[in-house]
Amino acid sequence: MRRRSLLIAVPAGLVTLAGCGDDDAADSAEGNGSASPSAPEAAPSPKIVDGPLPAITAGTKFGEKPTVAKGSGDPSKDLAVKTVIAGGGKVVAENDYIQAHYLGQIWDTAKVFANSYDAKTTALVQLAQGQIFEGWRYGLTGKKVGSRVEMAVPPTWGYGKEGNAQAGVKGTDTLVFVVDIKDTFSTKSSAKGTEVAQDNVDLPKVGTNTDGKAPSLEVPKTDPPKKLVANYVIEGDGDEVTAENTVLVQYKGVQWDTGKEFDSTYANKQLVSFSLQQVVKGWSQGLTGKKVGSRVLIVIPPELGYGDNPPQGSGIAKGATLVFTVDLLAKM
């Protein structure tokens, strides 16, 4: 059984696909719809066909905001998927997290209800059942990073018969998506960058393997530091993380006094994505300003961790200093 991450201070919702910088949707819920990408109920596997699909009339390059024509005639009852631009990167697998730009509109009206391009912030979503539209899960699995994919998603593999009133989507609407796949991440993903010397003998030492396996984490038999420590082990070359970002990570955590592991994405075989506004202060402060692609050692004193109120059943002692190794894979 997969354990819920112990890091979350406030329950996090699913990544949403509505209200992401779309001017046309600004009149609805102040342009910030809360449409969930998860299917309302389990759907059967679709038959995938290559059309019909509306033309992309402008913004035809990868990474450019596309303009998509209104659907002509009736859409297919099946899931229509076309690779508009074929990328040459890693192959996307089911259960991977993908980082992507996207635009979504309604077949019959061409009304855009979701769009990440205007906000200049990519989406970070997992292609897993219950985490994203089934149309995305089936349509994007097997595609390569660097690809632009267009899809026409019938209600069965979109919002279902209920539709989504806040997004302006009826239960009979077929949805058209254009998705630019920027990257993909799995449980085999690791930090990538330049190793940084770990010279302080009074701090834990972290392994530098980048094979997707858990790095070693050796805690010295000394008193823990009184202040937060957040040091590069491997320095990536990606963008710096801000306190408002959502991040995708691999990590493991141990208690300073015992060296006992209490949480690990490696052991759970599941990456974790969360907002830095929803985690313990030591994480949000420790990762802010760090570069994507990095491995970071974080030592969290009790007042920036759980203090005297550790999660029930976590095995974390009251007043414990916590030690983490964190691979910062992506942000949004």
Side-chain angles (χ1 to χ4, degrees):
M1 176 182 292
R2 290 175 180 169
R3 293 189 301 154
R4 176 177 169 79
S5 169
L6 296 174
L7 299 172
I8 304 299
V10 179
L14 296 176
V15 176
T16 59
L17 289 181
C20 296
D22 171 36
D23 294 335
D24 293 336
D27 294 335
S28 173
E30 298 179 342
N32 189 19
S34 58
S36 169
S38 58
E41 58 185 20
S45 300
K47 177 182 178 182
I48 297 179
V49 296
D50 58 8
L53 287 162
I56 300 173
T57 59
T60 57
K61 294 180 181 179
F62 182 87
E64 290 183 344
K65 179 184 176 182
T67 299
V68 184
K70 185 171 72 171
S72 177
D74 293 331
S76 174
K77 301 295 184 184
D78 299 312
L79 177 62
V81 181
K82 179 182 179 181
T83 301
V84 180
I85 298 172
K90 294 175 288 186
V91 176
V92 175
E94 186 174 357
N95 295 317
D96 278 5
Y97 279 83
I98 62 166
Q99 190 165 32
H101 269 308
Y102 68 92
L103 179 140
Q105 68 182 46
I106 298 170
W107 176 281
D108 288 335
T109 64
K111 176 180 172 57
V112 175
F113 68 89
N115 160 36
S116 70
Y117 296 91
D118 289 345
K120 296 179 172 59
T121 300
T122 53
L124 191 60
V125 294
Q126 188 181 20
L127 297 184
Q129 188 173 9
Q131 299 297 312
I132 189 66
F133 289 129
E134 291 291 86
W136 276 48
R137 182 165 74 96
Y138 287 110
L140 297 179
T141 296
K143 303 302 182 185
K144 292 184 177 181
V145 170
S147 295
R148 166 169 284 191
V149 181
E150 185 178 12
M151 298 179 286
V153 181
T156 300
W157 299 284
Y159 284 121
K161 296 178 181 178
E162 296 82 3
N164 189 294
Q166 196 167 7
V169 177
K170 301 191 299 293
T172 56
D173 284 334
T174 288
L175 309 178
V176 178
F177 288 100
V178 176
V179 182
D180 288 335
I181 306 172
K182 305 279 286 186
D183 211 340
T184 188
F185 304 93
S186 71
T187 54
K188 297 180 181 179
S189 297
S190 282
K192 50 184 178 181
T194 303
E195 291 184 19
V196 176
Q198 302 179 69
D199 297 330
N200 190 334
V201 296
D202 293 325
L203 290 179
K205 188 170 183 179
V206 180
T208 56
N209 58 295
T210 56
D211 55 1
K213 296 179 181 178
S216 58
L217 182 52
E218 300 174 5
V219 180
K221 297 185 182 304
T222 59
D223 291 335
K226 300 297 185 183
K227 295 183 178 180
L228 177 71
V229 174
N231 294 342
Y232 283 122
V233 176
I234 296 174
E235 184 174 354
D237 60 2
D239 294 336
E240 291 186 358
V241 170
T242 70
E244 294 76 30
N245 282 148
T246 290
V247 295
L248 179 67
V249 297
Q250 288 261 45
Y251 73 89
K252 76 174 182 180
V254 304
Q255 296 186 72
W256 181 287
D257 288 346
T258 64
K260 182 180 179 181
E261 182 177 299
F262 60 84
D263 200 7
S264 169
T265 59
Y266 303 97
N268 298 339
K269 296 180 171 55
Q270 176 67 48
L271 303 181
V272 173
S273 174
F274 49 74
S275 166
L276 288 184
Q277 296 178 328
Q278 296 174 310
V279 291
V280 295
K281 291 181 180 179
W283 264 68
S284 57
Q285 294 177 18
L287 290 181
T288 296
K290 294 296 189 284
K291 297 176 184 177
V292 171
S294 299
R295 177 169 296 164
V296 183
L297 165 70
I298 305 179
V299 182
I300 303 178
E303 61 271 20
L304 296 179
Y306 293 113
D308 291 331
N309 296 291
Q312 187 174 4
S314 66
I316 299 173
K318 290 182 178 181
T321 294
L322 307 179
V323 183
F324 291 94
T325 171
V326 184
D327 279 16
L328 187 53
L329 303 178
K331 75 177 184 73
M332 66 169 284

